[in-house]
Amino acid sequence: MITLAVFLLTATGASGRWIWVQWDQARQLRQEYQPPPEGMVLIPAGKFLMGSDDPNADFDVPAIREVFVLACYIDQFEVTNREYRDFKSDHPYPDGEDEYPVTRVLKHEAEVYARWAGKRLPTGAEWEKAARGTDGRKYPWGNKYDRSKCNLRPSPYQTLDGREVEDTAVCRLGSRKMAVGQFPKGVSPYGVHDMCGNAWEWVSDVYVAKIPFEPEDSWHRSGIIRGGAHGYGLRHGTTFHQGCEPLNTTCNDVGFRCVMAAAPKSN
C-alpha cells in the first residue's frame, strides 16, 4: 500500500511538473519583448531542432531532438579586438585588425568580459538556435554548403555519389582570419553573422566525454566551442558540430560572442 501511495504521489508530481512546463512555455511564446540593444538581435522563445542524426556527424553530437529555449538577445557579431580592448586596455593585436574577432581568449577571460559588458556566454542551445533557426538546417543559410557564405578552409569536394567530404591533402595554409561581417549572405535566420567559420566561439557548456579518460587528462575538463574557424573544413562549420578546448589553454582561432536575457514588454 505504501509503495502504491509513493508511486501515485510520484506520478502526480511528474504530471504536475509536465503541466507547469507546458503552461510556462505557452506563456513565454505569448510574451512580447523590448527591442534588442544596439549590436544584438532577438532570438525568440520557442522550440527548435538541436543536434543531428547525420551518420557523418562526430560521435559526440547528440541525436536530433526538440529543445525549448527562452528568449534572449545575442551579439550580431563576434566580440572584436576593439571591443575587447575597451575592457582590457593592454590587449595586444596587429595593426589594422580592430574589427577582427578577438582570439587567444581563455573561456574564463571571455566570461569575465561578458559580465563586464552586462552579458554572459550563450548556452550551447542558445548558440545553436541562433545559428540554425527552427528547421534543423545544417548551415546558418541552409543545408547545402556554400564556400562563398563563410570563412572556412577551401577544401571541400564532392565524391561521385554526391557526398560532401574534405580533401585532407589540402593544408590549412592560405586560410586566414577576417574582419567580422564579411559574409552577409551567410547570416543565420535571425540575422546573426559569422556563425560558420572565421573563429570558434566559446559557449557556457562544459564538454562531457563519452569515452573514458585518465583522471590527469585535461581534456575531460574542456569547454565547448562552436562554429568552426578559418583553418577548418565544412564538417566543423555545421550548426550542430561541437569542438572542445581545454579550459587552461586557447588558440589564435578561438573567440566568442555574448548573450543576455530578453527584456519583456510591460503590459
Side-chain angles (χ1 to χ4, degrees):
M1 182 66 70
I2 294 177
T3 302
L4 177 59
V6 171
F7 171 78
L8 290 173
L9 286 172
T10 302
T12 302
S15 176
R17 285 193 298 273
W18 182 87
I19 292 171
W20 184 89
V21 167
Q22 299 304 308
W23 175 86
D24 187 59
Q25 289 184 358
R27 180 181 64 83
Q28 295 289 341
L29 292 173
R30 293 192 303 270
Q31 178 66 58
E32 295 183 351
Y33 294 91
Q34 300 288 350
E38 183 178 358
M40 305 187 82
V41 299
L42 172 67
I43 308 302
K47 294 180 180 179
F48 80 107
L49 294 175
M50 184 174 185
S52 177
D53 291 333
D54 186 336
N56 296 316
D58 286 0
F59 72 94
D60 54 358
V61 172
I64 197 162
R65 74 275 188 205
E66 280 192 335
V67 174
F68 190 95
V69 174
L70 297 178
C72 65
Y73 306 126
I74 191 168
D75 289 341
Q76 190 172 18
F77 303 99
E78 296 154 321
V79 175
T80 64
N81 284 315
R82 174 183 54 78
E83 291 170 324
Y84 196 76
R85 182 173 277 182
D86 288 341
F87 158 71
K88 186 179 180 181
S89 59
D90 61 349
H91 166 59
Y93 60 89
D95 290 341
E97 295 192 3
D98 288 359
E99 301 307 316
Y100 281 48
V102 61
T103 54
R104 296 189 182 277
V105 177
L106 296 171
K107 181 180 180 182
H108 169 69
E109 294 172 325
E111 291 171 332
V112 172
Y113 170 91
R115 287 195 295 271
W116 171 82
K119 305 176 184 178
R120 59 178 172 79
L121 293 183
T123 65
E126 289 170 334
W127 188 98
E128 190 165 326
K129 183 176 181 181
R132 74 193 308 187
T134 59
D135 58 6
R137 61 183 60 189
K138 191 173 182 179
Y139 300 100
W141 56 85
N143 290 315
K144 184 175 176 58
Y145 180 68
D146 187 338
R147 263 196 61 207
S148 69
K149 295 180 179 178
C150 61
N151 184 18
L152 288 176
R153 187 179 73 217
S155 62
Y157 70 97
Q158 284 194 324
T159 60
L160 292 177
D161 61 1
R163 290 182 298 111
E164 288 182 332
V165 296
E166 291 185 48
D167 183 357
T168 55
V170 179
C171 68
R172 297 180 184 179
L173 296 177
S175 59
R176 60 183 180 84
K177 191 165 52 176
M178 302 173 68
V180 301
Q182 299 301 299
F183 297 89
K185 293 182 178 180
V187 298
S188 81
Y190 302 108
V192 187
H193 289 247
D194 302 320
M195 301 200 85
C196 175
N198 209 26
W200 289 101
E201 300 179 21
W202 288 113
V203 293
S204 64
D205 304 44
V206 175
Y207 179 73
V208 179
K210 289 188 177 179
I211 54 177
F213 288 96
E214 295 298 324
E216 65 271 20
D217 194 319
S218 65
W219 284 93
H220 77 288
R221 296 185 298 275
S222 297
I224 293 178
I225 51 178
R226 306 296 299 265
H230 59 89
Y232 289 76
L234 74 168
R235 178 171 62 87
H236 303 95
T238 57
T239 54
F240 49 79
H241 181 79
Q242 298 185 129
C244 59
E245 188 88 349
L247 296 177
N248 60 349
T249 63
T250 187
C251 195
N252 66 351
D253 59 8
V254 178
F256 66 102
R257 75 178 76 220
C258 304
V259 302
M260 59 192 303
K265 285 184 177 179
S266 56
N267 294 327

